[in-house]
Amino acid sequence: MRRSIMAGNWKMYKTAAETTAFFEKFLPLVEKATHCEIVVAPPFVNLAAAVAATRSSRVEIAAQNLHWVTKDGAYTGEVSGPMLKAIGCGWVIIGHSERRQYFGETDETVLKRTIAALESGLAPIVCVGERLEEREAGRTEAVLEEQFNGGLAGLAPEQFARVTIAYEPVWAIGTGRTATPEIAADAHKFLRSRIKARYGEEQAAATRILYGGSVKPDNIKGLMAQPDIDGGLVGGASLDPASFASIVNF
Ligand code: PEP
């Protein structure tokens, strides 16, 4: 049985004070939610506040990115895995489509960052997903296969075992246009078939694949009813404590 994960991606939203205020409201609302793991990814500057606010709770904190170099060095503006681990992060999001689209992220850098995360003791959530024109051209599976082969298949089996995948169709992110549960499930099944081909049946059954793309309190139930969907990576709807809590408590 795969344990589900509800992860919130705050993107470039909230100050440290707003982070603390969020958790004051959010934690009591998810106190009884033992059915899933809960992860929140604030911007780097709010990680310390988020870790402090969630110390005596089951909520874990993720970063939204990390550099692939795991030692200190002359990399202005970058943050390393060991720094994230030291501040109290347990997770890191890698290869989000916004990073692929605006910041030159490629499958090659996704693989390098994933290896750095694993070497730093962080659990990576690696994002894949097709753009609208790729879906419309019937290339969804080809794109997912390319991203899987380039960004993940280079991991050793024991490394891949610690990876969570997030399927996030780019056309559904921040657009209010959620994939139907069936569309999402088809992509998850396809990804699982790729995992099986590369890492074997047991690993394919064990890997958690989250869905992301306009997940809201009113559509989470339908998505989670699909056996291949193991949780959500939630952007906009994770910014409000009541909204994210109702997704967690679906
Ligand atoms: C995301 O940030 O990964 C995301 C899926 O955003 P949203 O839920 O707002 O579509």
Side-chain angles (χ1 to χ4, degrees):
M1 266 307 280
R2 297 183 295 270
R3 188 165 160 72
S4 53
I5 304 170
M6 293 300 173
N9 172 23
W10 284 1
K11 313 190 187 208
M12 199 172 73
Y13 288 96
K14 293 191 193 294
T15 62
E18 287 164 349
T19 298
T20 306
F22 172 94
F23 285 112
E24 270 166 23
K25 289 197 180 140
F26 178 69
L27 293 182
L29 301 175
V30 296
E31 219 167 38
K32 297 199 179 81
T34 52
H35 60 283
C36 67
E37 291 177 57
I38 307 169
V39 178
V40 175
F44 287 132
V45 289
N46 300 333
L47 290 173
V51 167
T54 54
R55 191 152 279 136
S56 51
S57 79
R58 294 178 42 257
V59 174
E60 293 178 71
I61 301 303
Q64 296 175 17
N65 190 23
L66 85 172
H67 191 43
W68 54 77
V69 172
T70 52
K71 294 192 200 93
D72 293 351
Y75 301 100
T76 303
E78 295 296 327
V79 173
S80 74
M83 290 172 183
L84 296 174
K85 188 71 184 169
I87 210 169
C89 275
W91 299 73
V92 59
I93 298 171
I94 295 172
H96 191 279
S97 67
E98 287 155 12
R99 298 220 57 87
R100 292 179 188 258
Q101 198 176 344
Y102 306 129
F103 303 102
E105 189 81 79
T106 63
D107 293 334
E108 192 188 343
T109 56
V110 166
L111 180 62
K112 285 162 79 168
R113 290 185 213 277
T114 303
I115 292 168
L118 294 167
E119 282 176 356
S120 308
L122 298 163
I125 299 175
V126 178
C127 304
V128 295
E130 80 287 0
R131 297 197 306 268
L132 183 59
E133 59 273 26
E134 292 166 335
R135 172 160 287 269
E136 286 175 346
R139 293 198 61 243
T140 298
E141 293 191 349
V143 169
L144 294 180
E145 177 139 38
E146 236 166 70
Q147 292 175 340
F148 178 81
N149 287 343
L152 285 165
L155 296 172
E158 63 278 12
Q159 291 176 314
F160 184 80
R162 290 155 56 208
V163 169
T164 297
I165 297 177
Y167 167 62
E168 297 208 305
V170 180
W171 47 271
I173 298 178
T175 59
R177 191 178 160 194
T178 324
T180 62
E182 293 72 26
I183 288 178
D186 280 350
H188 284 224
K189 274 197 199 90
F190 177 74
L191 285 165
R192 231 176 267 292
S193 77
R194 297 304 81 207
I195 300 169
K196 184 176 165 189
R198 168 67 181 90
Y199 294 106
E201 190 149 15
E202 213 172 294
Q203 187 58 62
T207 298
R208 293 180 291 183
I209 307 178
L210 315 183
Y211 167 77
S214 298
V215 172
K216 306 285 177 213
D218 63 1
N219 59 31
I220 185 67
K221 230 190 175 98
L223 290 160
M224 291 303 288
Q226 296 289 336
D228 272 301
I229 299 183
D230 303 312
L233 180 54
V234 186
S238 72
L239 292 168
D240 174 71
S243 150
F244 191 41
S246 76
I247 289 172
V248 168
N249 295 320
F250 76 95

